Amino acid sequence: MNPAAGSNQPAVTYLNHETTVASWLLTRDHKRIGVMFLVGVIFALLLGGIFAMALRIELLTPGPTVMGPMTYNRMFTLHGVTMVWLFMIPAIPSAFGNFVLPIMLGAKDVAFPRLNLASFYIYLAGSMLTVFGMLWSGADTGWTFYTPYSTVSPTTVTPILLGVFIIGFSTIITGLNFITTVHTLRAPGMHWTRIPLFVWTIYGTSVIQVVATPVLGMVLLLVTAERVLGMGIFDPSRGGDPVLFQHMFWFYSHPAVYIMVLPAMGVITEVVCAYSRKNIFGYKMVAASTFGIAFVGFFTWGHHMFVSGQSTFGSGIFGVLSMLVAIFTAIKIFNWVATLYGGSIDLKVPLLYVLGFIFLLMFGGMTGVAVATTSLDVHWHDTYFVVAHFHYIMVGAVLMAFLAGLHYWWPKMFGKLYPERWSFLAAMTIIFGFIVTFLPQFLLGNMGMPRRYYEYPREMQWLHVLSTAGASLLAFGFGLIAIYLLWSLRYGEEAPMNAWGSRGYEWYSGSPPVPHNFTEAPRFEREVHDYTVVEGPRVY
Amino acid sequence: MSTESSPWEEHFGSRENQSVAAQLGMWIFLGSEVLLFTNLFVGYAVYRYYYPEVFVEASKHLKAEWAMVQTLLLVTSSLFVVLAVHYIRQGRQLLTVLVLVLAIGMGLGFLGIKGWEYWEHWKEGALPGEYYRLEELPERGGSLFFTLYFLLTGLHAIHMLVALGLLGWLVWGALSGKYTAEYHIPVEVGGLYWHLVDIFWLFIFPLLYLVE
Ligand code: HEM
Ligand SMILES: [Cu+2]
């Protein structure tokens, strides 16, 4: 259907065809579920951010600043738990994946719409239980729940363990749904070699989710059982083995890092193509490297355990395997750069975040190779070097991609444009703030500042102050984004059908899309992001 | 628009596709269930390696003959579930209900035996972790064996309960005429789940009861 004359928008959209509260809460529309997830993860980001600022303020001075040591322990646990389990894991797959993946495939919905809605409520229930546990007394185990401490800690760990366990179910269901959708709901013409790379990364991520999450779920249940029943599986005084926990935990949680990073890479690929007006350089390589990362990711968990007493030979193997991930990642980076090269580049805000992403990913990745080197890691293990490393690579990457995707798909989701200047300012603040926050932490770690410490020697103060200053900039940037996005929902300029002139398939549907995505079945006659063929805007 | 009463969902495009999707979704779910249990199997392997003699001794406290009966019950029930799929494909709803009810009965029998067995362990003090009271066996290893025993069989029993609920729901659906020779996806998919629960037991049984 061509849009009505005068307006570029379809009159009936998924946003306005029903507007009651119940029509949202009981919806089976993947787009609405995606929006609800988006709201959920943004809340989690806010909560985790508040905890983060509390940490940074405490670290402004060498001694006690605003809280006691126990509160500090709780704060970093709450920060880590919220950010990892409530924000980073669901952020891109559950929010953007839900919204755009079916549209990109030309489907009317995901395979199991009811399960999809259930997945959201399971996420909500798990998150609420987790937050309840935090408010109740707050765990002090760190987000990794290491045994044996987590089995004896006097704080309330159990609701948090169960909350994360429940969230895991949501992850599994979402993954299962996406895999099935990709296999069964591709529209005619959507061959395997035409599937957009964002969909490929979500597919790869879903495989990891389905394979790894049960392991995490079980190990969390075991810790819970140990706390409640004194089971003895991880308790050395009963003949159990606390290191077994680490094996099981990292068997999940290392791949979990890719649950966060792979979808981020998918967003980046879409954005790079759209703003350099070129199809990706090396489609097959980029798709294949996704699975390379996903696969190798299952054999690298031991790099978190170099100092746990595993054999030197084992450590060596794990170190080398870990470095393979860097090779697959490099393939992607080269392909993005090659795509940008000679492209007709339009430096809009999403592309700005891509540049931030590439920088952080490269820097974080190279420090990753450094810490995967056993001898070096013995020096850096459990210091701020590691904190800086994982913030660069996983937090930096996810955050940049999340913001890139948010801006890129904003007109698609809500039919409004965000204000260009303000968003440019916010993006610069965030990228700069991020670097200022975490670069000093590499130096701190190298000087021997251990992670999760409340006090530090006076010589380190200037670096901590710098880091806190960067964090404040970050917080400011987020505040700015929140304000102008909310503003644009109401007062923003109406977006045209395809605000960026993108050739991504999701723009075949309206902005915002009609309830079942398309008014007639879309035809996929060209490769995704093929800018070489001349084509008027077409909306199905 | 699809109406509420039609079991066919429009977004699948075709009926075959809906069936394929349901089967695929279920298989993926089953895979992730297998991985859930794998953890406990790995834990079992690790501790068996640490405490080989204790594990052999401890397993003698289990009721292997009754476990054999349980195994027979489960295998037979699986057969009935296969029959249920067979009959519903032909649209014979009453026969489907009949075999499903038989399968449910056997599942309940299985759980009954399990409950009685737990009760015996309770009296004996063969309990997990800090509740372990068996004198004849060292606590190191012994308590771990029973921890793993209760975790594995307990998790399995919970899955049985869920699967029984599923079968009950299928009985209800078949009785109310929802499943027909054309539309029987839930029976096939539910049947798959029952077989999975059954297969877990086929691993648990030799590991726990028959170790030498
Ligand atoms: C907004 C600015 C942020 C600041 C200032 C910040 C600061 C911190 C600090 C001070 C720690 C504690 C280090 C320690 O004592 O060991 C930490 C840990 C952590 N942060 Fe952040 N963070 C920020 C954003 C994020 C985001 C967005 C995420 C995830 C999306 C994240 C994930 C984590 C994780 C997983 C840990 C490890 C927690 C632990 O090991 O217990 N952070 N962060
Ligand atoms: Cu890792």
Side-chain angles (χ1 to χ4, degrees), chain A residues 270-285:
Chain A
E270 294 296 323
V271 172
V272 162
C273 293
Y275 294 97
S276 49
R277 303 247 165 279
K278 268 170 71 187
N279 208 345
I280 188 78
F281 182 92
Y283 173 91
K284 290 209 172 111
M285 286 306 271

Side-chain angles (χ1 to χ4, degrees), chain A residues 271 275 346-355 400 403-404 407-408 418-428 431 481 484 500:
Chain A
V271 172
Y275 294 97
D346 187 7
L347 193 59
K348 287 267 169 36
V349 169
L351 194 62
L352 204 58
Y353 284 116
V354 168
L355 299 182
M400 294 295 143
L403 293 172
H407 287 82
Y408 176 54
Y418 56 81
E420 193 63 36
R421 289 237 189 103
W422 286 105
S423 58
F424 208 87
L425 177 70
M428 293 306 275
I431 296 172
I481 296 182
Y484 71 70
W500 320 117

Side-chain angles (χ1 to χ4, degrees), chain A residues 56 72 76 79 83-84 88 143 390-391 395 451-452 471:
Chain A
R56 283 317 323 165
Y72 183 82
F76 75 64
H79 168 68
M83 288 298 197
V84 170
M88 285 203 289
W143 71 277
F390 74 63
H391 275 85
V395 181
R451 72 193 284 195
R452 300 177 177 174

Side-chain angles (χ1 to χ4, degrees), chain A residues 28 108-114 172 176 179-180 183-185 210-211 214-215 217-219 222 228-234 236-241 244 248 516, chain B residues 1 4 9-12 17 20-22 24-25 28-29 32-33 35-36 39-40 42-43 46-47 50-51 128-131 139-141 143-144 147-148 151 155:
Chain A
R28 294 181 198 164
K108 288 184 184 143
D109 207 324
V110 291
F112 310 117
R114 243 170 302 156
I172 294 177
L176 179 159
I179 296 177
T180 313
H183 276 274
T184 56
L185 295 186
V210 171
V211 173
V215 181
M218 198 65 226
V219 77
L222 290 180
V228 178
L229 301 172
M231 288 273 201
I233 297 251
F234 304 123
S237 70
R238 293 213 166 79
D241 185 354
L244 187 63
M248 288 181 175
H516 284 284
Chain B
M1 292 296 280
E4 275 308 314
E9 297 184 41
E10 176 229 16
H11 69 279
F12 282 109
N17 207 22
V20 170
L24 179 64
I28 298 171
F29 180 68
S32 94
E33 288 269 63
L35 288 157
L36 188 77
N39 274 274
L40 292 178
V42 168
V46 169
Y47 291 118
Y50 286 171
Y51 309 101
E130 62 181 67
Y131 302 100
E139 185 181 340
R140 270 180 168 265
S143 78
L144 273 173
T147 294
L148 287 163
L151 282 174
L155 191 67

